[in-house]
Amino acid sequence: MNMRFSKYLLIKNLGLIALFFTLSFSVKAQVKKKDPVLAVKMAEVVSGFLKTLNTEQRQLAAIEFEDALRFDWHFTPRDRKGLPLKKMDAEQQKSAMAMIRLVLSDEGYGKAQQIIDLENVLRVIENRPADDTYRDPENYAFLVYGIPGKDPWGWRVEGHHLSLHFTVIDGNVDFTPGFMGSNPGKVLADVPQKGRTILADEQNIAFDLLRTMSPVQLEKVLIGKSAPNEIFTSNSRKASLEKIQGISMKEMNAEQKVIFGNLILSYLKRYHVTLRNQQLSQLAKAGLDNIHFAWMGDQTPIIGAGHGHYYRIHGPTFLIEFDNTQNGGNHIHSVVRDLTNDFGEDMLKAHYAKAHR
């Protein structure tokens, strides 16, 4: 393991990695979804946002929970359903961003802010006029479905390269699908954001893990010479892949398991500590040994025409996809999916089953 990465592990994430492996080896690890405190606080913050809106704004921002629109999501530039930042005043924008701030960690909230700011970078790179609406940092829309605090309900924020979904049922909070992207992956243009790499951990730790693999292990890890142009599950309502591929955590040595655990945590650390820990518990219950790592494309990070790489982290209940192939390997898409509970679907089934007993 190189010195840079070793220091990174010891200083930045030692406590989280310890938690990860404590759950891994604990036969008593249980799924802890319910957190009434977070659910109640979320209802308060979202209700507070809705109270700031006038009638016209509220018609854009709120729909019935049963409306199929809550499944209509994407991460490309497009007109978005919901109330965008550009149709809010400064105080309303502050209230809207407080919704994001509540459910993400400091690190995750910083990533979300920087992803939004990249729209300003793209305006410069693409020589767009100042009044351009295609690359628009205010085209991030908030949509609330149902009545906050009255089960079931939820909300989302969505715009270019950011799509975060939260569903609340019986005090349980689900946070998938969760998409974050970055274009550019690394800002090369001569702008104030030059050098910014928003998803650096998600990329660098994966390469660190790949470099530790033996030739025999690589035969399992590498599932394609060329990387796909997009994540396989795209913006599907239900994430599904034909089979689990790659090398399992069970087949990794101790060093590799630590790096792999840290890679998974680089995604979960985006979220509120309660949401992060509940997902760790779910992974432990399903069996960390059953989580696989697979790779396609370049085995070294190169930016240039024809280059790019893709990897996935795939377990019985959980999927992460990372793709960096567009724009010569400098345009990243990453997503966290729950294979059983995206949009709170499993929670919803249990809720209705309980109601009809």
Side-chain angles (χ1 to χ4, degrees):
M1 187 184 296
N2 63 54
M3 186 62 68
R4 177 192 63 79
F5 186 70
S6 178
K7 184 177 180 181
Y8 175 92
L9 283 179
L10 290 173
I11 295 178
K12 188 173 183 181
N13 277 332
L14 189 58
L16 291 180
I17 293 169
L19 172 63
F20 189 92
F21 285 101
T22 296
L23 288 170
S24 167
F25 297 117
S26 172
V27 296
K28 295 182 180 180
Q30 300 293 321
V31 175
K32 292 179 64 178
K33 285 185 180 180
K34 197 162 188 175
D35 179 11
V37 175
L38 179 60
V40 169
K41 183 63 175 177
M42 192 183 302
E44 292 174 353
V45 172
V46 177
S47 293
F49 165 68
L50 291 176
K51 288 177 182 177
T52 70
L53 308 182
N54 61 36
T55 301
E56 182 181 355
Q57 290 174 314
R58 195 180 180 98
Q59 288 176 342
L60 293 174
I63 61 174
E64 298 293 329
F65 183 83
E66 294 77 14
D67 196 318
L69 182 60
R70 72 186 184 96
F71 302 112
D72 178 16
W73 71 285
H74 217 306
F75 41 83
T76 58
R78 67 170 186 172
D79 290 332
R80 301 211 122 78
K81 301 298 182 181
L83 182 66
L85 291 168
K86 60 187 171 185
K87 292 187 178 181
M88 303 180 198
D89 62 32
E91 285 303 310
Q92 290 168 336
Q93 289 182 354
K94 183 178 178 181
S95 184
M97 294 303 290
M99 292 164 59
I100 305 177
R101 184 69 187 86
L102 174 65
V103 293
L104 299 184
S105 64
D106 290 343
E107 182 176 326
Y109 185 64
K111 287 179 186 288
Q113 290 179 306
Q114 291 174 11
I115 289 168
I116 292 172
D117 183 50
L118 281 183
E119 295 297 278
N120 293 312
V121 174
L122 289 173
R123 278 180 169 177
V124 174
I125 292 174
E126 297 172 357
N127 295 313
R128 294 182 178 274
D131 60 351
D132 172 65
T133 59
Y134 184 70
R135 303 298 191 189
D136 187 353
E138 291 196 324
N139 189 25
Y140 287 78
F142 293 74
L143 185 66
V144 179
Y145 20 94
I147 301 173
K150 185 176 181 180
D151 296 327
W153 73 279
W155 68 277
R156 81 177 184 207
V157 57
E158 184 175 277
H160 183 214
H161 282 163
L162 185 69
S163 189
L164 305 175
H165 304 251
F166 301 90
T167 309
V168 186
I169 304 173
D170 298 329
N172 301 325
V173 180
D174 177 69
F175 61 96
T176 58
F179 182 97
M180 287 189 176
S182 179
N183 178 24
K186 179 177 182 179
V187 180
L188 303 176
D190 190 14
V191 294
Q193 300 88 342
K194 186 173 183 178
R196 177 179 293 174
T197 52
I198 300 171
L199 302 178
D201 287 354
E202 293 87 338
Q203 175 162 274
N204 295 340
I205 299 173
F207 275 111
D208 283 326
L209 177 58
L210 188 69
R211 281 191 286 267
T212 70
M213 295 291 166
S214 69
V216 173
Q217 288 176 314
L218 283 174
E219 290 182 7
K220 289 189 174 182
V221 173
L222 302 177
I223 61 172
K225 292 183 178 180
S226 299
N229 196 51
E230 183 57 274
I231 56 175
F232 285 91
T233 54
S234 187
N235 64 321
S236 59
R237 171 172 171 172
K238 185 173 179 59
S240 179
L241 292 174
E242 184 177 346
K243 59 183 178 179
I244 297 180
Q245 296 175 280
I247 187 171
S248 69
M249 181 176 276
K250 183 178 181 179
E251 299 170 286
M252 298 180 187
N253 62 37
E255 176 189 12
Q256 292 166 340
K257 287 180 180 180
V258 170
I259 302 174
F260 192 35
N262 199 50
L263 179 59
I264 295 171
L265 285 169
S266 71
Y267 289 87
L268 300 186
K269 289 191 294 105
R270 299 172 178 176
Y271 295 93
H272 186 286
V273 60
T274 295
L275 301 179
R276 181 201 74 197
N277 288 349
Q278 85 178 26
Q279 188 61 61
L280 285 175
S281 293
Q282 287 177 295
L283 292 177
K285 186 176 182 180
L288 295 181
D289 279 347
N290 297 320
I291 303 175
H292 288 63
F293 176 69
W295 189 281
M296 302 174 72
D298 290 347
Q299 296 179 45
T300 54
I302 302 173
I303 296 175
H307 289 286
H309 52 278
Y310 163 95
Y311 70 81
R312 75 173 65 129
I313 299 167
H314 192 181
T317 63
F318 186 72
L319 175 67
I320 290 172
E321 288 192 272
F322 177 102
D323 186 73
N324 186 5
T325 54
Q326 298 179 40
N327 298 1
N330 197 29
H331 181 154
I332 299 171
H333 289 174
S334 75
V335 70
V336 179
R337 305 294 300 259
D338 188 316
L339 301 178
T340 63
N341 200 42
D342 267 357
F343 303 103
E345 290 291 84
D346 262 15
M347 295 193 313
L348 191 61
K349 290 177 184 176
H351 173 78
Y352 288 143
K354 182 180 179 180
H356 288 87
R357 285 178 183 173

PDB file of all heavy atoms in Angstrom, residues 314-335:
ATOM      1  N   HIS A 314     -21.218  -4.712  -6.029  1.00  0.00           N
ATOM      2  CA  HIS A 314     -22.508  -5.381  -6.207  1.00  0.00           C
ATOM      3  C   HIS A 314     -22.666  -6.480  -5.166  1.00  0.00           C
ATOM      4  O   HIS A 314     -21.841  -7.383  -5.074  1.00  0.00           O
ATOM      5  CB  HIS A 314     -22.573  -5.972  -7.622  1.00  0.00           C
ATOM      6  CG  HIS A 314     -23.932  -6.437  -8.035  1.00  0.00           C
ATOM      7  ND1 HIS A 314     -24.168  -7.024  -9.267  1.00  0.00           N
ATOM      8  CD2 HIS A 314     -25.133  -6.406  -7.397  1.00  0.00           C
ATOM      9  CE1 HIS A 314     -25.452  -7.328  -9.360  1.00  0.00           C
ATOM     10  NE2 HIS A 314     -26.052  -6.976  -8.236  1.00  0.00           N
ATOM     11  N   GLY A 315     -23.707  -6.381  -4.368  1.00  0.00           N
ATOM     12  CA  GLY A 315     -24.040  -7.411  -3.405  1.00  0.00           C
ATOM     13  C   GLY A 315     -25.476  -7.856  -3.563  1.00  0.00           C
ATOM     14  O   GLY A 315     -26.188  -7.384  -4.462  1.00  0.00           O
ATOM     15  N   PRO A 316     -25.954  -8.721  -2.706  1.00  0.00           N
ATOM     16  CA  PRO A 316     -27.324  -9.231  -2.826  1.00  0.00           C
ATOM     17  C   PRO A 316     -28.390  -8.139  -2.734  1.00  0.00           C
ATOM     18  O   PRO A 316     -29.457  -8.257  -3.339  1.00  0.00           O
ATOM     19  CB  PRO A 316     -27.439 -10.205  -1.647  1.00  0.00           C
ATOM     20  CG  PRO A 316     -26.032 -10.603  -1.341  1.00  0.00           C
ATOM     21  CD  PRO A 316     -25.211  -9.386  -1.615  1.00  0.00           C
ATOM     22  N   THR A 317     -28.113  -7.078  -1.973  1.00  0.00           N
ATOM     23  CA  THR A 317     -29.131  -6.046  -1.754  1.00  0.00           C
ATOM     24  C   THR A 317     -28.682  -4.651  -2.170  1.00  0.00           C
ATOM     25  O   THR A 317     -29.449  -3.693  -2.029  1.00  0.00           O
ATOM     26  CB  THR A 317     -29.508  -5.987  -0.264  1.00  0.00           C
ATOM     27  OG1 THR A 317     -28.349  -5.608   0.502  1.00  0.00           O
ATOM     28  CG2 THR A 317     -30.017  -7.343   0.225  1.00  0.00           C
ATOM     29  N   PHE A 318     -27.487  -4.530  -2.701  1.00  0.00           N
ATOM     30  CA  PHE A 318     -26.848  -3.217  -2.809  1.00  0.00           C
ATOM     31  C   PHE A 318     -26.045  -3.124  -4.098  1.00  0.00           C
ATOM     32  O   PHE A 318     -25.406  -4.099  -4.514  1.00  0.00           O
ATOM     33  CB  PHE A 318     -25.928  -3.054  -1.593  1.00  0.00           C
ATOM     34  CG  PHE A 318     -25.280  -1.722  -1.436  1.00  0.00           C
ATOM     35  CD1 PHE A 318     -26.018  -0.620  -1.048  1.00  0.00           C
ATOM     36  CD2 PHE A 318     -23.911  -1.575  -1.628  1.00  0.00           C
ATOM     37  CE1 PHE A 318     -25.410   0.618  -0.848  1.00  0.00           C
ATOM     38  CE2 PHE A 318     -23.293  -0.349  -1.435  1.00  0.00           C
ATOM     39  CZ  PHE A 318     -24.046   0.748  -1.039  1.00  0.00           C
ATOM     40  N   LEU A 319     -26.072  -1.967  -4.747  1.00  0.00           N
ATOM     41  CA  LEU A 319     -25.308  -1.771  -5.976  1.00  0.00           C
ATOM     42  C   LEU A 319     -24.769  -0.346  -6.032  1.00  0.00           C
ATOM     43  O   LEU A 319     -25.508   0.622  -5.812  1.00  0.00           O
ATOM     44  CB  LEU A 319     -26.189  -2.027  -7.204  1.00  0.00           C
ATOM     45  CG  LEU A 319     -25.550  -1.732  -8.574  1.00  0.00           C
ATOM     46  CD1 LEU A 319     -24.415  -2.706  -8.871  1.00  0.00           C
ATOM     47  CD2 LEU A 319     -26.603  -1.784  -9.684  1.00  0.00           C
ATOM     48  N   ILE A 320     -23.488  -0.244  -6.326  1.00  0.00           N
ATOM     49  CA  ILE A 320     -22.859   1.037  -6.642  1.00  0.00           C
ATOM     50  C   ILE A 320     -22.276   0.907  -8.039  1.00  0.00           C
ATOM     51  O   ILE A 320     -21.615  -0.085  -8.352  1.00  0.00           O
ATOM     52  CB  ILE A 320     -21.739   1.376  -5.637  1.00  0.00           C
ATOM     53  CG1 ILE A 320     -22.318   1.699  -4.258  1.00  0.00           C
ATOM     54  CG2 ILE A 320     -20.896   2.549  -6.139  1.00  0.00           C
ATOM     55  CD1 ILE A 320     -21.262   1.849  -3.178  1.00  0.00           C
ATOM     56  N   GLU A 321     -22.513   1.905  -8.882  1.00  0.00           N
ATOM     57  CA  GLU A 321     -21.867   1.956 -10.197  1.00  0.00           C
ATOM     58  C   GLU A 321     -21.102   3.273 -10.323  1.00  0.00           C
ATOM     59  O   GLU A 321     -21.575   4.325  -9.886  1.00  0.00           O
ATOM     60  CB  GLU A 321     -22.895   1.862 -11.316  1.00  0.00           C
ATOM     61  CG  GLU A 321     -23.511   0.495 -11.493  1.00  0.00           C
ATOM     62  CD  GLU A 321     -24.288   0.407 -12.797  1.00  0.00           C
ATOM     63  OE1 GLU A 321     -25.492   0.749 -12.786  1.00  0.00           O
ATOM     64  OE2 GLU A 321     -23.688   0.015 -13.820  1.00  0.00           O
ATOM     65  N   PHE A 322     -19.936   3.179 -10.933  1.00  0.00           N
ATOM     66  CA  PHE A 322     -19.089   4.342 -11.190  1.00  0.00           C
ATOM     67  C   PHE A 322     -18.600   4.243 -12.628  1.00  0.00           C
ATOM     68  O   PHE A 322     -18.005   3.236 -13.022  1.00  0.00           O
ATOM     69  CB  PHE A 322     -17.900   4.344 -10.226  1.00  0.00           C
ATOM     70  CG  PHE A 322     -16.902   5.466 -10.453  1.00  0.00           C
ATOM     71  CD1 PHE A 322     -16.903   6.573  -9.626  1.00  0.00           C
ATOM     72  CD2 PHE A 322     -15.946   5.394 -11.473  1.00  0.00           C
ATOM     73  CE1 PHE A 322     -15.968   7.592  -9.822  1.00  0.00           C
ATOM     74  CE2 PHE A 322     -15.030   6.407 -11.673  1.00  0.00           C
ATOM     75  CZ  PHE A 322     -15.032   7.521 -10.844  1.00  0.00           C
ATOM     76  N   ASP A 323     -18.850   5.280 -13.408  1.00  0.00           N
ATOM     77  CA  ASP A 323     -18.435   5.280 -14.812  1.00  0.00           C
ATOM     78  C   ASP A 323     -17.756   6.604 -15.138  1.00  0.00           C
ATOM     79  O   ASP A 323     -18.295   7.681 -14.861  1.00  0.00           O
ATOM     80  CB  ASP A 323     -19.647   5.081 -15.726  1.00  0.00           C
ATOM     81  CG  ASP A 323     -19.235   4.926 -17.178  1.00  0.00           C
ATOM     82  OD1 ASP A 323     -18.698   3.869 -17.526  1.00  0.00           O
ATOM     83  OD2 ASP A 323     -19.455   5.874 -17.973  1.00  0.00           O
ATOM     84  N   ASN A 324     -16.554   6.521 -15.719  1.00  0.00           N
ATOM     85  CA  ASN A 324     -15.826   7.713 -16.131  1.00  0.00           C
ATOM     86  C   ASN A 324     -15.264   7.474 -17.525  1.00  0.00           C
ATOM     87  O   ASN A 324     -14.086   7.124 -17.692  1.00  0.00           O
ATOM     88  CB  ASN A 324     -14.707   8.042 -15.142  1.00  0.00           C
ATOM     89  CG  ASN A 324     -14.019   9.370 -15.455  1.00  0.00           C
ATOM     90  OD1 ASN A 324     -14.426  10.099 -16.354  1.00  0.00           O
ATOM     91  ND2 ASN A 324     -12.985   9.685 -14.696  1.00  0.00           N
ATOM     92  N   THR A 325     -16.104   7.616 -18.526  1.00  0.00           N
ATOM     93  CA  THR A 325     -15.684   7.347 -19.909  1.00  0.00           C
ATOM     94  C   THR A 325     -15.957   8.514 -20.848  1.00  0.00           C
ATOM     95  O   THR A 325     -15.229   8.708 -21.825  1.00  0.00           O
ATOM     96  CB  THR A 325     -16.403   6.102 -20.466  1.00  0.00           C
ATOM     97  OG1 THR A 325     -17.817   6.264 -20.314  1.00  0.00           O
ATOM     98  CG2 THR A 325     -15.956   4.843 -19.744  1.00  0.00           C
ATOM     99  N   GLN A 326     -16.992   9.276 -20.590  1.00  0.00           N
ATOM    100  CA  GLN A 326     -17.320  10.375 -21.487  1.00  0.00           C
ATOM    101  C   GLN A 326     -16.256  11.471 -21.396  1.00  0.00           C
ATOM    102  O   GLN A 326     -15.525  11.575 -20.419  1.00  0.00           O
ATOM    103  CB  GLN A 326     -18.703  10.938 -21.141  1.00  0.00           C
ATOM    104  CG  GLN A 326     -19.830   9.920 -21.301  1.00  0.00           C
ATOM    105  CD  GLN A 326     -21.190  10.492 -20.932  1.00  0.00           C
ATOM    106  OE1 GLN A 326     -21.504  11.637 -21.255  1.00  0.00           O
ATOM    107  NE2 GLN A 326     -22.006   9.695 -20.245  1.00  0.00           N
ATOM    108  N   ASN A 327     -16.156  12.267 -22.451  1.00  0.00           N
ATOM    109  CA  ASN A 327     -15.177  13.365 -22.507  1.00  0.00           C
ATOM    110  C   ASN A 327     -13.753  12.874 -22.253  1.00  0.00           C
ATOM    111  O   ASN A 327     -12.968  13.496 -21.536  1.00  0.00           O
ATOM    112  CB  ASN A 327     -15.528  14.457 -21.493  1.00  0.00           C
ATOM    113  CG  ASN A 327     -16.869  15.101 -21.769  1.00  0.00           C
ATOM    114  OD1 ASN A 327     -17.566  14.743 -22.708  1.00  0.00           O
ATOM    115  ND2 ASN A 327     -17.259  16.045 -20.947  1.00  0.00           N
ATOM    116  N   GLY A 328     -13.427  11.721 -22.827  1.00  0.00           N
ATOM    117  CA  GLY A 328     -12.076  11.183 -22.698  1.00  0.00           C
ATOM    118  C   GLY A 328     -11.716  10.786 -21.281  1.00  0.00           C
ATOM    119  O   GLY A 328     -10.586  10.972 -20.836  1.00  0.00           O
ATOM    120  N   GLY A 329     -12.669  10.232 -20.568  1.00  0.00           N
ATOM    121  CA  GLY A 329     -12.408   9.809 -19.197  1.00  0.00           C
ATOM    122  C   GLY A 329     -12.303  10.965 -18.220  1.00  0.00           C
ATOM    123  O   GLY A 329     -11.518  10.915 -17.270  1.00  0.00           O
ATOM    124  N   ASN A 330     -13.128  11.992 -18.421  1.00  0.00           N
ATOM    125  CA  ASN A 330     -13.131  13.136 -17.505  1.00  0.00           C
ATOM    126  C   ASN A 330     -14.559  13.623 -17.274  1.00  0.00           C
ATOM    127  O   ASN A 330     -14.844  14.821 -17.265  1.00  0.00           O
ATOM    128  CB  ASN A 330     -12.261  14.271 -18.042  1.00  0.00           C
ATOM    129  CG  ASN A 330     -11.914  15.282 -16.962  1.00  0.00           C
ATOM    130  OD1 ASN A 330     -11.832  14.958 -15.785  1.00  0.00           O
ATOM    131  ND2 ASN A 330     -11.712  16.529 -17.371  1.00  0.00           N
ATOM    132  N   HIS A 331     -15.455  12.665 -17.106  1.00  0.00           N
ATOM    133  CA  HIS A 331     -16.882  12.968 -16.926  1.00  0.00           C
ATOM    134  C   HIS A 331     -17.470  11.786 -16.157  1.00  0.00           C
ATOM    135  O   HIS A 331     -17.656  10.709 -16.708  1.00  0.00           O
ATOM    136  CB  HIS A 331     -17.537  13.130 -18.306  1.00  0.00           C
ATOM    137  CG  HIS A 331     -18.989  13.459 -18.269  1.00  0.00           C
ATOM    138  ND1 HIS A 331     -19.602  14.136 -19.304  1.00  0.00           N
ATOM    139  CD2 HIS A 331     -19.965  13.206 -17.368  1.00  0.00           C
ATOM    140  CE1 HIS A 331     -20.889  14.284 -19.037  1.00  0.00           C
ATOM    141  NE2 HIS A 331     -21.128  13.716 -17.853  1.00  0.00           N
ATOM    142  N   ILE A 332     -17.755  11.991 -14.873  1.00  0.00           N
ATOM    143  CA  ILE A 332     -18.077  10.884 -13.973  1.00  0.00           C
ATOM    144  C   ILE A 332     -19.567  10.805 -13.657  1.00  0.00           C
ATOM    145  O   ILE A 332     -20.211  11.830 -13.403  1.00  0.00           O
ATOM    146  CB  ILE A 332     -17.292  11.026 -12.653  1.00  0.00           C
ATOM    147  CG1 ILE A 332     -15.791  10.986 -12.905  1.00  0.00           C
ATOM    148  CG2 ILE A 332     -17.684   9.939 -11.653  1.00  0.00           C
ATOM    149  CD1 ILE A 332     -14.957  11.340 -11.686  1.00  0.00           C
ATOM    150  N   HIS A 333     -20.076   9.567 -13.666  1.00  0.00           N
ATOM    151  CA  HIS A 333     -21.406   9.264 -13.157  1.00  0.00           C
ATOM    152  C   HIS A 333     -21.262   8.227 -12.055  1.00  0.00           C
ATOM    153  O   HIS A 333     -20.561   7.225 -12.222  1.00  0.00           O
ATOM    154  CB  HIS A 333     -22.304   8.702 -14.265  1.00  0.00           C
ATOM    155  CG  HIS A 333     -22.707   9.710 -15.284  1.00  0.00           C
ATOM    156  ND1 HIS A 333     -23.408   9.379 -16.427  1.00  0.00           N
ATOM    157  CD2 HIS A 333     -22.526  11.062 -15.340  1.00  0.00           C
ATOM    158  CE1 HIS A 333     -23.637  10.472 -17.137  1.00  0.00           C
ATOM    159  NE2 HIS A 333     -23.101  11.502 -16.499  1.00  0.00           N
ATOM    160  N   SER A 334     -21.915   8.449 -10.927  1.00  0.00           N
ATOM    161  CA  SER A 334     -21.897   7.446  -9.860  1.00  0.00           C
ATOM    162  C   SER A 334     -23.264   7.374  -9.209  1.00  0.00           C
ATOM    163  O   SER A 334     -23.947   8.393  -9.067  1.00  0.00           O
ATOM    164  CB  SER A 334     -20.822   7.784  -8.805  1.00  0.00           C
ATOM    165  OG  SER A 334     -21.226   8.856  -7.977  1.00  0.00           O
ATOM    166  N   VAL A 335     -23.658   6.170  -8.813  1.00  0.00           N
ATOM    167  CA  VAL A 335     -24.987   5.991  -8.237  1.00  0.00           C
ATOM    168  C   VAL A 335     -24.959   4.929  -7.157  1.00  0.00           C
ATOM    169  O   VAL A 335     -24.191   3.965  -7.222  1.00  0.00           O
ATOM    170  CB  VAL A 335     -26.012   5.600  -9.341  1.00  0.00           C
ATOM    171  CG1 VAL A 335     -25.768   4.184  -9.869  1.00  0.00           C
ATOM    172  CG2 VAL A 335     -27.440   5.761  -8.849  1.00  0.00           C
TER     173      VAL A 335
END
